[in-house]
Amino acid sequence: MTALAFASRSSSSLGVGMKITKYVAATTGVALLLGSPALAATTTKAKSIMGGKIACKNQYKGKKVRIFSSIRGDDVALFETAYKPFETCTGADLIWEGTDQFETQIKVRANGNPPDIAVFPQPGLMANLYASGKIKALPKDMATEVTTNFPSFLDLAKSADGKAIIGTPLGANVKSFVWYSPKAFSDKGYAIPKSLEELKTLSDKIVTDGGTPWCAGIESGVATGWVVTDWMEDFMLRIQGPAVYDQWVNHKIAFNDPKVKAVADEVASYLKNPKYMGGENAVKAIATTKFQDGGLPILDGKCFMHRQASFYSGFWGDKVKLGTDIKAFYLPAKAGGKKVMLGGGELNSAMTNKKETFDALRYLSSNEYATARAKGGNWFSPRKDFDTTVMPDQFLAGFANELKSSDIFRFDGSDLMPGAVGAGSFWTESTKWITGGSTDDYLNNIEKSWPAA
């Protein structure tokens, strides 16, 4: 797989489908709108939008559609600008409510004051609320839209029993990438690995040459350890494949199953390997190194590679030119294997049966909306017909194209697991493991924490 070599400075994709508790506290101060001015609002009244699917008759004048989301801060203005044509067309007032306590508050709201639309970064939570009658199944035309245009997110948009489509995908992010310095690679004559086997060979070669192949940081406040869960998920997909990945995420196999242990052993061969990380002290320091700083030693030539998601583009600093000073290559699969991609995203669900709720959902899931939102920057859509050339930041567009070219996509596993595990023991036990805990204790303790059915 060739490296991503896109020319312009990337804006961070923070807030686009990641478990917000993982990232937001640690990302205050990151410039989100790096050279990507928001799209000017459309004020001209059209006869219809979405190719005639929604008529512009001011039919919802005076009506409000409340959208409840974990997305907040500067990004909200970009979403509001992008859905302005729907408001102008229909007269509806779309009100975005952001919170840093989404997982807790949506359960409270569902039982007394439900929003019209909820934006879920955790598909499992959405499915649970549907099962308890708090979310509405999508009408046939919307279900067809999801089936046709969001194939990579289709399973995530369904109810737990697979009988209903309950969510429309909004944005996406991708995680299966390795950041590196092209100059450092060129100076040493290193080639971009095209398979997992070649990645290990390259790592060994760097050690032989006297260098440090990898650097990492997993400190993230109360969410310390989440970086390790992403490593586990990426390598589960590559070593055991998507079927076992799904079994693992849904607890169809135990967390301490031999297949999971094999993955942990492979991850340990990178993260817990003193030769790969620059010594025993460097391995121990991973747990206290802020995740934002994990890859920065590449800039000083202290390491060569850093595995991290597309959103890491926002942490290199203003003096670093992405696509020139720093690039990213796809974390490869096994030789001859299909291209697997780990990522995240959000799905919109209806919590009220109002006509304006479903029409707002129709617009938010449309290519028309996706194009408008993407032109504002800091975002891309998982729609298969999404045109990445409309994105003002072509470095970020490169990640979107990588998602489109993937054979298999899987959602962040920890976001699909029960909260006690995915946002609890998986984080804390990963941290203990990195700092010296045994692999058996690591997996056994997480297995013990899994809630009883």
Side-chain angles (χ1 to χ4, degrees):
M1 186 69 194
T2 57
L4 302 180
F6 312 117
S8 62
R9 170 75 187 178
S10 173
S11 57
S12 170
S13 59
L14 292 168
V16 194
M18 284 121 359
K19 186 183 289 293
I20 298 301
T21 52
K22 292 181 182 178
Y23 309 111
V24 169
T27 56
T28 303
V30 174
L32 291 179
L33 306 180
L34 302 172
S36 301
L39 181 68
T42 301
T43 57
T44 303
K45 185 69 171 285
K47 292 183 179 180
S48 65
I49 54 177
M50 293 173 57
K53 291 182 179 179
I54 297 178
C56 295
K57 297 181 178 180
N58 220 30
Q59 62 269 39
Y60 299 134
K61 183 178 180 180
K63 296 184 180 295
K64 301 181 185 299
V65 178
R66 297 190 178 275
I67 305 171
F68 191 59
S69 172
S70 57
I71 300 171
R72 58 197 191 281
D74 292 337
D75 273 345
V76 173
L78 298 178
F79 285 98
E80 291 174 334
T81 297
Y83 60 60
K84 192 68 177 176
F86 176 83
E87 294 178 309
T88 302
C89 169
T90 66
D93 183 13
L94 272 58
I95 302 173
W96 192 283
E97 303 175 33
T99 177
D100 62 354
Q101 300 292 326
F102 178 83
E103 186 171 347
T104 300
Q105 289 300 313
I106 192 60
K107 297 173 185 176
V108 176
R109 293 283 298 270
N111 288 310
N113 180 30
D116 298 297
I117 295 171
V119 186
F120 288 91
Q122 300 112 344
L125 176 57
M126 179 182 70
N128 289 342
L129 287 176
Y130 174 78
S132 64
K134 306 301 183 182
I135 287 175
K136 316 302 178 186
L138 298 183
K140 185 176 180 180
D141 68 298
M142 295 183 68
T144 299
E145 172 73 8
V146 174
T147 301
T148 303
N149 289 308
F150 297 94
S152 62
F153 271 59
L154 180 57
D155 288 341
L156 303 169
K158 292 180 179 178
S159 57
D161 61 10
K163 295 181 179 179
I165 294 181
I166 61 174
T168 64
L170 184 61
N173 65 78
V174 285
K175 298 189 174 188
S176 301
F177 292 95
V178 177
W179 296 84
Y180 74 107
S181 162
K183 183 179 185 303
F185 266 51
S186 177
D187 288 347
K188 290 291 187 178
Y190 299 149
I192 302 303
K194 294 180 172 60
S195 69
L196 203 55
E197 294 84 351
E198 288 185 9
L199 182 66
K200 182 60 70 72
T201 299
L202 172 62
S203 300
D204 290 337
K205 171 63 174 171
I206 293 172
V207 171
T208 300
D209 291 345
T212 299
W214 295 89
C215 45
I218 69 169
E219 195 281 322
S220 188
V222 296
T224 295
W226 68 259
V227 173
V228 180
T229 72
D230 281 4
W231 273 82
M232 287 288 291
E233 291 154 5
D234 251 332
F235 278 77
M236 178 65 75
L237 275 175
R238 283 155 178 77
I239 294 171
Q240 304 293 3
V244 174
Y245 182 94
D246 295 341
Q247 293 171 357
W248 173 58
V249 166
N250 293 298
H251 208 221
K252 300 298 183 184
I253 60 173
F255 216 102
N256 54 2
D257 185 274
K259 293 178 180 177
V260 183
K261 188 175 188 300
V263 172
D265 287 342
E266 186 64 19
V267 171
S269 75
Y270 288 87
L271 285 179
K272 297 186 68 170
N273 185 343
K275 292 182 180 179
Y276 279 11
M277 304 304 301
E280 293 282 358
N281 290 336
V283 172
K284 294 177 181 178
I286 292 173
T288 55
T289 299
K290 294 182 181 298
F291 90 88
Q292 304 98 312
D293 298 336
L296 300 187
I298 291 175
L299 301 176
D300 299 323
K302 295 179 180 178
C303 72
F304 281 82
M305 293 178 285
H306 178 65
R307 193 225 67 84
Q308 192 49 277
S310 58
F311 70 82
Y312 200 74
S313 59
F315 297 111
W316 292 104
D318 294 338
K319 295 181 179 180
V320 175
K321 187 173 183 180
L322 297 181
T324 301
D325 301 326
I326 288 290
K327 295 182 181 180
F329 63 82
Y330 164 69
L331 177 64
K334 285 185 176 182
K338 291 185 176 180
K339 183 178 179 182
V340 292
M341 184 68 70
L342 178 71
E346 315 95 359
L347 295 103
N348 298 324
S349 276
M351 300 191 79
T352 64
N353 264 325
K354 302 173 185 176
K355 289 183 178 179
E356 58 267 29
T357 295
F358 285 111
D359 268 353
L361 276 178
R362 286 184 177 93
Y363 186 71
L364 292 172
S365 64
S366 70
N367 205 25
E368 188 171 320
Y369 175 81
T371 299
R373 175 61 189 86
K375 286 181 177 179
N378 192 36
W379 186 89
F380 60 86
S381 170
R383 285 185 66 101
K384 73 174 186 179
D385 57 351
F386 173 62
D387 182 5
T388 60
T389 65
V390 305
M391 298 172 66
D393 185 332
Q394 285 302 294
F395 190 89
L396 186 59
F399 291 111
N401 286 326
E402 290 288 315
L403 173 60
K404 291 179 70 173
S405 67
S406 298
D407 299 307
I408 297 167
F409 174 82
R410 283 297 184 271
F411 206 88
D412 182 297
S414 62
D415 281 343
L416 300 175
M417 294 173 184
V421 178
S425 61
F426 201 179
W427 293 349
T428 56
E429 294 299 328
S430 290
T431 303
K432 293 177 184 177
W433 182 55
I434 288 297
T435 54
S438 73
T439 298
D440 285 340
D441 287 345
Y442 173 44
L443 302 181
N444 289 338
N445 289 341
I446 298 175
E447 174 60 24
K448 291 176 184 176
S449 75
W450 200 284

